[in-house]
Every structure is written in structure tokens, then in C-alpha cells.
Amino acid sequence: MNRRNFLAGLTLTGIATQLPVLAQSASVPRLLKPSRLNPGDTVGLVTPASPILKEHLKWIQLQLGQQELTVKVAPHVLSEYGYLAGTDQQRAADINLMFADPTVKGIIATGGGWGSARILSLLDYDLIRQHPKIFLGYSDITALLLGLYSKTGLVTFHGLLGTSMWNPYSVSWLQKLLFEGKAITFQNSPNVRVETIYRGQAKGQLIGGNLSVLSALVGSEYLPNWRDKILFVEDVGEDIYRIDRMLTHLKLAGILDQISGFIFSQCTACTPGEGNEPSLTLWQVLNDLIQPLGIPAWYGSMMGHIRDQFTIPLGIDVKINAEQGTIIMLENAVV
């Protein structure tokens, strides 16, 4: 199974040119918090990346119905264009449509795969700024989470895809954050160990997502100013040398030298590679590249391509503790 299919399968089924300073957003948009969800609200479904099947759509509608949400399906949710869910224009139009629709209170990506970065230049950011709404997803959807935040200041949410397993654990975090509007403390279940890379505590705006997707956006206008940010990353199905390469890219681009804290959430099914060729361990890579930064950092937070996961707000001020592995929200993420 190739990596793109593996990303999609965990739900239900080259590096950019380096312009480390000029490529980041020139200005910092005013933070926009979307309205919280309430039982009975309508949420819009979009497929910004790889295609899904009709069976997946039925599954999503069932799960969201269990959360007492009404579902509005975008016109091209089931479209196909090769390995994409419709053309770039179709997928972007669906997102613009859902932000413009006054009956839609939140927007959920059905799945990941590949394709979200292709539509960043086609989104109507003025429209989105005027109609801030919850936008939820992860994996390839990282491109949209980062792009929307960087271009409009909208707080976006790294969490369940429509095709994810909406189990009680994951749903409980989503409910606290998006329905109850709480400023919560994220702390792992007792059986999920935290491995401290560098001790300490730090404050900053929490930003991040899938490492592969994030690193491929370096050099574009769809990443934020990184000064004093808390960066979290996660990945899946990558050889260790690829993780090394991507983190090294962030280092060479000046990103790692600007942040105030670092979290490598999970690296699911990340292996040394095939055969008996020598390899570093992931822990050696993190010690080589992250530990010398001298900022609070740890591995093991419950985000990413795992069954039980947090829903994490991007753009919100937090305080982290690298020994305890906690992320404390210093403000709510919705209004």
C-alpha cells in the first residue's frame, strides 16, 4: 500500500524552495474565533483531498447524526478526478460555498490523502474572514488548517476527519472544545507515555499538523510567522530518514530557531526502512535536531494517525509542560 492510500486507510479505508523569512505571512491577521457548535446545528461536509466512496459518506452521516448534528453535503464530495476528489476548482468551490452558506455552522473534511495544498490559491479568504466557522480535519487537511489561519486569522481545528473512528474518547475531547467551549488541559491517557526531549515550560500560540504537509508548504505564503509559536507535528508511514530530512528542512528554513516549544505528537508506523541498512532511531533524530534548541519539547502527545486523539485548536495561546506532556489552553477556542 502506498503512503497516500495508507493515510486514507487509517481513517476508514520534494520539498519546497526555502525562503524562510519572506515566505511567511507578512502580517499577523487578527485572531478570529468561530462560533461553537450546538446540538441540531448543520455542518458541511467537504472532500478537499483524495476521493471517498458512497459507503464512507453513509458512515460519516451516521456518526455525525449520533452527535446530534445535521449534515449538508457539498456538491462534489463524491467527485473523482484521478487521485483527487474532483478538480481543484470543484474542491475549492465546495469550501467557499460552505463558508458562504448561513445555515452551515461548521465544516468537516471527510478524509485526507493528497490534494489540499493544490486549492489554497483558489479559496476566497475575504469571504472566509467575513464568515468564520469551525473547520475540522487532520493529515493532508493540515494545508488548509495552516492556510486558513495564516491568511485570515481563523482558529482551525486539528482533529477527527469524517471517516475517522468517532469513538467515545476522541468525541469527548471534541465535545469539550467545540460544543462546550472550554479552555481545557490536554493530557495523555495513563497508558500513553510521554518522552521528554528537553525539560521546561513555555507559552505561545499552538500551531502545527502533519509534518510532511507542513514542510512542503515552506516557501509559500500559507504558513504563519513562527516567532514564539509552539509547534506540534505528527506523521505516519515515513522512514526515519524522511523525518530527519523534513525536520532538517524546518531547521534550515529558520523555523525551529524561532519557536518557543516543540511537540512531536506521534509517528505512526515510522520505520528504519527496508532491509538491513543502518539507520538512526527516531529518538536519535529528535535528540540531534530538537534537543539542542534548548526549548521545552517532548514526544508522545495524542494527536495524529491514532485511534484515540485530541481535537487541537490552531492559533490559541497555550502553556506546555514538557515533563508532564500537558498542553494548557489559556483561552477558549470558540465563542
Side-chain angles (χ1 to χ4, degrees):
M1 181 181 293
N2 64 36
R3 184 177 184 277
R4 176 169 54 82
N5 289 335
F6 185 38
L7 289 172
L10 283 174
T11 54
L12 263 188
T13 351
I15 303 295
T17 301
Q18 296 179 30
L19 296 173
V21 178
L22 296 179
Q24 297 174 5
S25 296
S27 59
V28 180
R30 179 177 62 89
L31 193 66
L32 291 176
K33 296 182 181 181
S35 297
R36 70 184 65 189
L37 291 175
N38 293 290
D41 278 350
T42 296
V43 293
L45 287 183
V46 295
T47 308
S50 296
I52 64 167
L53 302 175
K54 288 184 180 179
E55 291 77 10
H56 297 152
L57 181 56
K58 292 178 182 178
W59 166 267
I60 296 168
Q61 291 171 317
L62 174 64
Q63 293 197 113
L64 294 181
Q66 292 174 345
Q67 310 311 316
E68 300 183 63
L69 295 170
T70 300
V71 176
K72 179 170 281 192
V73 180
H76 302 102
V77 157
L78 293 176
S79 295
E80 292 188 37
Y81 174 61
Y83 48 72
L84 301 170
T87 66
D88 294 346
Q89 290 74 19
Q90 289 172 333
R91 300 188 332 275
D94 279 359
I95 293 176
N96 290 332
L97 178 66
M98 289 301 173
F99 272 104
D101 190 333
T103 68
V104 171
K105 305 305 180 184
I107 304 169
I108 299 174
T110 61
W114 158 249
S116 297
R118 289 180 54 144
I119 65 175
L120 287 172
S121 64
L122 301 176
L123 299 181
D124 187 339
Y125 294 106
D126 288 334
L127 168 71
I128 293 167
R129 194 177 295 110
Q130 294 167 16
H131 303 281
K133 299 178 182 182
I134 288 170
F135 194 92
L136 174 68
Y138 79 105
S139 193
D140 188 71
I141 309 305
T142 292
L144 294 169
L145 303 182
L146 292 168
L148 291 172
Y149 168 75
S150 299
K151 298 292 284 186
T152 71
L154 178 65
V155 175
T156 54
F157 298 91
H158 183 279
L160 294 169
L161 295 163
T163 48
S164 296
M165 297 297 294
W166 288 56
N167 60 61
Y169 184 89
S170 300
V171 168
S172 68
W173 290 100
L174 182 145
Q175 289 275 353
K176 292 174 188 176
L177 190 68
L178 301 185
F179 284 78
E180 300 172 26
K182 293 182 177 179
I184 53 185
T185 297
F186 297 96
Q187 187 163 22
N188 286 1
S189 299
N191 62 322
V192 181
R193 188 177 65 175
V194 168
E195 298 180 77
T196 303
I197 302 169
Y198 195 92
R199 296 176 179 273
Q201 302 179 39
K203 294 181 180 180
Q205 285 187 330
L206 186 63
I207 298 291
N210 181 264
L211 176 60
S212 301
V213 176
L214 188 156
S215 65
L217 291 177
V218 173
S220 77
E221 61 187 276
Y222 301 105
L223 290 179
N225 184 306
W226 291 101
R227 182 63 58 190
D228 297 327
K229 297 294 192 295
I230 306 290
L231 172 62
F232 75 91
V233 296
E234 61 85 27
D235 224 313
V236 59
E238 294 285 5
D239 292 344
I240 301 301
Y241 83 90
R242 294 179 182 270
I243 299 296
D244 187 343
R245 182 169 65 191
M246 290 182 282
L247 289 176
T248 297
H249 182 52
L250 298 188
K251 172 68 175 178
L252 295 175
I255 292 174
L256 296 185
D257 292 327
Q258 298 181 60
I259 60 176
S260 60
F262 178 84
I263 307 163
F264 201 122
S265 305
Q266 299 285 331
C267 203
T268 304
C270 294
T271 65
E274 298 180 358
N276 296 317
E277 295 182 1
S279 173
L280 296 174
T281 65
L282 178 60
W283 191 247
Q284 285 175 313
V285 171
L286 295 177
N287 273 332
D288 287 347
L289 297 176
I290 304 301
Q291 203 268 352
L293 299 175
I295 58 175
W298 80 89
Y299 176 89
S301 190
M302 296 178 66
M303 303 178 244
H305 292 77
I306 53 177
R307 178 182 174 88
D308 298 332
Q309 61 175 286
F310 302 142
T311 297
I312 295 290
L314 273 68
I316 292 299
D317 283 330
V318 301
K319 179 180 179 180
I320 64 169
N321 184 310
E323 288 102 305
Q324 298 176 2
T326 54
I327 304 169
I328 302 172
M329 292 174 58
L330 300 179
E331 56 181 323
N332 62 344
V334 295
V335 294

